[in-house]
């Protein structure tokens, strides 16, 4: 007698496999269709919409079916031949390509024009005054807690102010884009060429840097020469940070702010405790009232040798920033920041990657999505990505270059703000990473993937910046301080370049 039971079980097993695998194969086919392209013009490629599959699905009323929001990718007002001619004529110019909205047709249009190039100022380090013999110091206890460009600007702005009263600034350490007094972090040389930085500071008449050892020697903890400062203002950001970090009650904070309204400062008993210092002269200073550094030094610090600042937020920005002026300085702190050179660890990575993955001349594409989403919408970001890829196809056609370097703030080491945005919008965990990968794939380019020994976000950001600014052509989308820094570095690299080059700003 033949036992059919095993065959029956085997048949059921095959049916089960098919039930599981067929939906997977259909889904895979959908992904293949997703990355296909429609050729609408001979030179310009319109891409299928990646965002359709990534956006959260919503159920339609009255049905059990799910659908995704549809986006149109066509731009009106984009004459192909004119577009190509403008890109070809963009040598040593800034070509601005931006999206507008036609009120009559309710469709997006592309507008193209040339704008003036804003080259960064040249700081001649050969023209420096003598070294500052002063023995007065400015020390920042807490980390500069922002993104790399803001942190660096804040640090340089302190050097600018401290230099006006003959102080030196204690050199910070660095880690994951932050700057801090924590000596367990990496040396500042990890990010920047410190020897060149010192020359820049001296040429700009800024405070130069000293190491922690000199500060501790000249300002021992039991010295009576210490003055400790905590900057506050009436903003919600200031109160939120202070109460959370120092564990103060809101009523207590509000009382301190009120006490500063008459003179601009008041005595504070918590500052030295927060810095784990022997209690001495401690003041809370209202940054909305005290706007002149020399007044700050004369009336509050009284030119004491050892100035300790718990938190320095810099002067660049609106919310919870200080109001000290740089109007009478030879160079602004932004000028000095733009002139910085990367440290040797960054240079080593740039040279290694460029040798392995890039040609001598290449196109760089940089997309900063954060501020597109802050100021607009996901639809706008999608249109900008489409437009960047179209511009790239046209630029490749006119230059004959094929090597493309791609960087965005949407990869594994991108914007932390995007992580918060993704969670708030209930987007898939890989939402922005897939957009980043889509740009790399469609551009036929390469992106920097750091090796295992390079995992510091600050180093990675500076490697990206250097590779982008070393390109012969730059397509840049988005805004922000890091974006402006990249543009300045790119223009500086091409200031005297006799080869053809261009900077194209999209969106």
């Amino acid at each position: 007698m033949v036992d059919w039971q095993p065959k029956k079980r085997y048949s059921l097993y095959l049916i089960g496999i098919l039930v599981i695998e067929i939906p997977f194969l259909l889904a895979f086919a959908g992904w293949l269709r997703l990355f296909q392209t429609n050729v609408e013009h001979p030179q310009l490629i319109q891409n299928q919409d990646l965002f359709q599959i990534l956006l959260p699905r919503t159920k339609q009323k009255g049905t059990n079916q799910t659908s995704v929001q549809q986006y149109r990718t066509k731009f009106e007002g984009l004459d192909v031949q004119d577009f190509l001619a403008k890109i070809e004529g963009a040598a040593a110019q800034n070509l601005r390509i931006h999206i507008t909205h036609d009120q009559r047709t309710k469709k997006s249009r592309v507008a193209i024009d040339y704008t003036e190039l804003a080259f960064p100022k040249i700081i001649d380090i050969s023209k420096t005054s003598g070294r500052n013999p002063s023995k007065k110091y400015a020390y920042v206890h807490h980390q500069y807690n922002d993104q790399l460009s803001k942190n660096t600007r804040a640090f340089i702005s302190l050097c600018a102010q401290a230099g006006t009263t003959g102080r030196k600034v204690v050199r910070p350490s660095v880690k994951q884009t932050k700057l801090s007094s924590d000596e367990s972090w990496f040396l500042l040389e990890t990010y920047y060429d410190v020897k060149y930085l010192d020359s820049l500071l001296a040429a700009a008449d800024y405070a130069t840097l000293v190491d922690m050892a000199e500060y501790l020697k000249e300002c021992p903890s039991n010295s009576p020469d210490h003055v400790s400062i905590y900057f506050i203002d009436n903003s919600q950001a200031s109160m939120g940070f202070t109460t959370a970090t120092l564990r103060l009650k809101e009523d207590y904070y509000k009382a301190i702010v009120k006490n500063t309204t008459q003179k601009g400062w008041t005595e504070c008993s918590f500052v030295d405790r927060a810095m784990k210092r022997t209690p001495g002269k401690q003041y809370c200073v209202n940054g909305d009232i005290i706007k002149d550094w020399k007044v700050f030094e004369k009336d509050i610090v009284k030119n004491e040798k050892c100035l300790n600042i718990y938190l320095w937020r810099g002067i660049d920005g609106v919310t919870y920033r200080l109001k000290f002026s740089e109007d009478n300085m030879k160079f602004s702190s932004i000028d000095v920041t733009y002139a910085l050179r990367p440290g040797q660890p960054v240079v080593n990575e740039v040279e290694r990657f460029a040798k392995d993955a890039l040609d001598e001349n290449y196109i760089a594409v940089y997309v900063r999505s954060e501020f597109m989403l802050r100021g607009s919408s996901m639809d706008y970001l999608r249109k900008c990505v489409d437009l960047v890829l179209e511009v790239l196809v046209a630029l490749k056609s006119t230059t004959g270059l094929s090597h493309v370097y791609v960087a965005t703030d949407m990869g594994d080491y991108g914007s932390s703000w995007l992580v918060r945005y993704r969670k708030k919008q209930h987007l898939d965990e890989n939402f922005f990473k897939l957009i980043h990968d889509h740009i790399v794939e469609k551009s036929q380019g390469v992106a920097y993937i750091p090796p295992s020994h390079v995992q510091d976000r600050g180093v990675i950001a500076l490697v990206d910046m250097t590779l982008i600014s070393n390109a012969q052509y730059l397509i840049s989308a988005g805004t922000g301080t890091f974006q402006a820094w990249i543009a300045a570095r790119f223009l500086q690299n091409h200031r005297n370049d006799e080869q053809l080059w261009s900077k194209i700003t999209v969106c």
Side-chain angles (χ1 to χ4, degrees):
M1 184 175 178
V2 178
D3 183 5
W4 294 98
Q5 195 64 27
K7 292 185 178 180
K8 183 177 180 180
R9 286 199 301 270
Y10 182 72
S11 299
L12 290 173
Y13 176 77
L14 285 176
I15 292 170
I17 289 293
L18 289 172
V19 168
I20 293 171
E21 291 295 322
I22 286 174
F24 173 79
L25 292 172
L26 289 173
F28 181 72
W31 274 101
L32 287 177
R33 287 197 302 273
L34 170 69
F35 289 109
Q36 289 175 344
T37 57
N38 295 326
V39 179
E40 184 176 41
H41 303 301
Q43 295 89 352
L44 303 181
I45 296 177
Q46 292 283 4
N47 299 295
Q48 291 285 356
D49 192 7
L50 173 69
F51 294 73
Q52 290 181 5
I53 199 165
L54 294 179
L55 285 170
R57 296 174 179 268
T58 55
K59 288 190 176 182
Q60 294 181 339
K61 292 182 180 180
T63 73
N64 292 323
Q65 300 296 319
T66 59
S67 65
V68 292
Q69 188 174 357
Q70 301 294 314
Y71 292 92
R72 298 184 182 276
T73 62
K74 296 179 180 179
F75 300 105
E76 291 197 351
L78 186 61
D79 180 270
V80 179
Q81 296 306 320
D82 179 59
F83 184 49
L84 289 169
K86 279 190 165 58
I87 287 180
E88 191 170 2
Q93 298 187 77
N94 184 72
L95 179 62
R96 186 170 68 121
I97 305 173
H98 54 107
I99 298 171
T100 62
H101 188 71
D102 191 311
Q103 295 295 334
R104 183 178 59 82
T105 64
K106 307 299 182 184
K107 293 182 179 180
S108 295
R109 298 176 62 89
V110 173
I112 305 175
D113 54 28
Y114 296 109
T115 59
E116 186 176 349
L117 290 172
F119 283 90
K121 288 186 178 179
I122 297 174
I123 302 177
D124 186 353
I125 63 171
S126 67
K127 297 179 180 179
T128 60
S129 54
R131 304 296 290 180
N132 176 16
S134 171
K135 290 292 185 178
K136 294 196 303 180
Y137 302 91
Y139 160 81
V140 175
H141 173 79
H142 195 66
Q143 66 184 23
Y144 298 79
N145 191 27
D146 217 317
Q147 296 179 346
L148 179 64
S149 55
K150 285 284 190 181
N151 290 335
T152 303
R153 285 189 183 187
F155 161 58
I156 298 297
S157 73
L158 174 61
C159 296
Q161 299 300 324
T164 62
T165 51
R167 290 191 180 274
K168 296 179 180 179
V169 171
V170 179
R171 184 182 296 117
S173 300
V174 297
K175 185 178 181 181
Q176 302 297 357
T177 76
K178 314 300 183 190
L179 286 77
S180 169
S181 62
D182 191 334
E183 291 188 279
S184 69
W185 288 17
F186 303 121
L187 296 174
L188 185 61
E189 289 91 323
T190 308
Y191 286 3
Y192 303 115
D193 181 336
V194 171
K195 184 177 180 180
Y196 189 73
L197 168 59
D198 278 334
S199 297
L200 286 173
L201 295 175
D205 292 333
Y206 282 19
T208 51
L209 306 179
V210 298
D211 57 30
M212 185 70 77
E214 178 177 332
Y215 165 75
L216 293 175
K217 177 184 176 182
E218 297 292 335
C219 296
S221 59
N222 60 352
S223 170
D225 299 328
H226 286 277
V227 174
S228 297
I229 300 294
Y230 191 93
F231 288 104
I232 60 173
D233 60 39
N234 202 30
S235 69
Q236 189 65 38
S238 176
M239 182 172 70
F241 176 86
T242 304
T243 54
T245 305
L246 304 181
R247 298 181 181 179
L248 303 177
K249 293 183 178 180
E250 288 190 5
D251 289 344
Y252 178 64
Y253 178 86
K254 290 177 181 178
I256 293 173
V257 173
K258 185 177 180 181
N259 289 340
T260 65
T261 54
Q262 186 175 359
K263 296 189 300 182
W265 73 91
T266 186
E267 291 187 8
C268 282
S269 60
F270 64 84
V271 186
D272 279 331
R273 183 176 70 249
M275 292 192 281
K276 298 179 180 179
R277 304 188 59 84
T278 303
K281 296 181 282 291
Q282 311 168 62
Y283 302 100
C284 286
V285 177
N286 193 319
D288 288 334
I289 299 174
I290 303 300
K291 302 178 182 181
D292 187 317
W293 180 271
K294 290 183 178 179
V295 171
F296 166 70
E297 281 271 21
K298 177 176 175 291
D299 295 348
I300 305 171
V301 181
K302 300 188 185 303
N303 294 310
E304 288 285 9
K305 181 178 181 179
C306 309
L307 169 60
N308 310 304
I309 301 171
Y310 182 83
L311 176 70
W312 177 265
R313 291 275 296 166
I315 64 171
D316 179 30
V318 179
T319 304
Y320 195 18
R321 306 285 178 181
L322 300 172
K323 308 298 189 298
F324 294 119
S325 173
E326 296 181 349
D327 290 346
N328 296 321
M329 297 184 181
K330 290 195 299 184
F331 300 99
S332 72
S333 54
I334 294 178
D335 294 332
V336 176
T337 300
Y338 287 169
L340 293 175
R341 291 179 179 175
Q344 197 58 46
V346 175
V347 172
N348 292 343
E349 268 303 283
V350 167
E351 291 177 350
R352 180 195 65 79
F353 183 85
K355 180 180 178 181
D356 293 344
L358 294 169
D359 203 355
E360 181 180 358
N361 290 333
Y362 57 92
I363 300 168
V365 172
Y366 181 62
V367 178
R368 183 72 187 271
S369 66
E370 176 183 334
F371 288 94
M372 295 186 204
L373 293 174
R374 282 179 183 265
S376 192
S377 64
M378 187 65 70
D379 183 40
Y380 182 72
L381 171 60
R382 194 271 312 150
K383 290 173 182 175
C384 286
V385 169
D386 283 349
L387 188 54
V388 164
L389 293 172
E390 291 185 355
V391 171
L392 176 60
V393 171
L395 187 58
K396 282 183 175 182
S397 174
T398 59
T399 63
L401 295 179
S402 59
H403 284 77
V404 179
Y405 181 73
V406 177
T408 79
D409 62 349
M410 295 177 280
D412 291 332
Y413 300 91
S415 168
S416 57
W417 183 88
L418 291 180
V419 176
R420 297 191 295 274
Y421 176 88
R422 173 180 58 76
K423 291 178 179 178
K424 184 178 180 180
Q425 298 295 324
H426 306 291
L427 301 173
D428 183 81
E429 183 178 358
N430 294 319
F431 182 88
F432 289 109
K433 179 63 165 60
L434 286 171
I435 299 173
H436 169 88
D437 292 345
H438 172 70
I439 297 170
V440 174
E441 179 185 353
K442 291 303 177 185
S443 66
Q444 297 179 320
V446 293
Y448 175 63
I449 300 175
S452 58
H453 68 277
V454 179
Q455 294 299 309
D456 184 90
R457 295 168 70 94
V459 171
I460 293 167
L462 290 167
V463 169
D464 265 338
M465 175 186 288
T466 308
L467 286 166
I468 295 167
S469 60
N470 286 349
Q472 201 65 21
Y473 297 87
L474 171 60
I475 301 171
S476 173
T479 59
T481 54
F482 193 73
Q483 196 98 352
W485 196 359
I486 285 175
R489 287 279 302 277
F490 177 82
L491 291 175
Q492 177 57 36
N493 287 347
H494 293 285
R495 188 188 295 273
N496 300 311
D497 193 346
E498 295 181 356
Q499 293 189 64
L500 288 177
W501 61 274
S502 67
K503 176 177 172 289
I504 301 174
T505 305
V506 179
C507 297

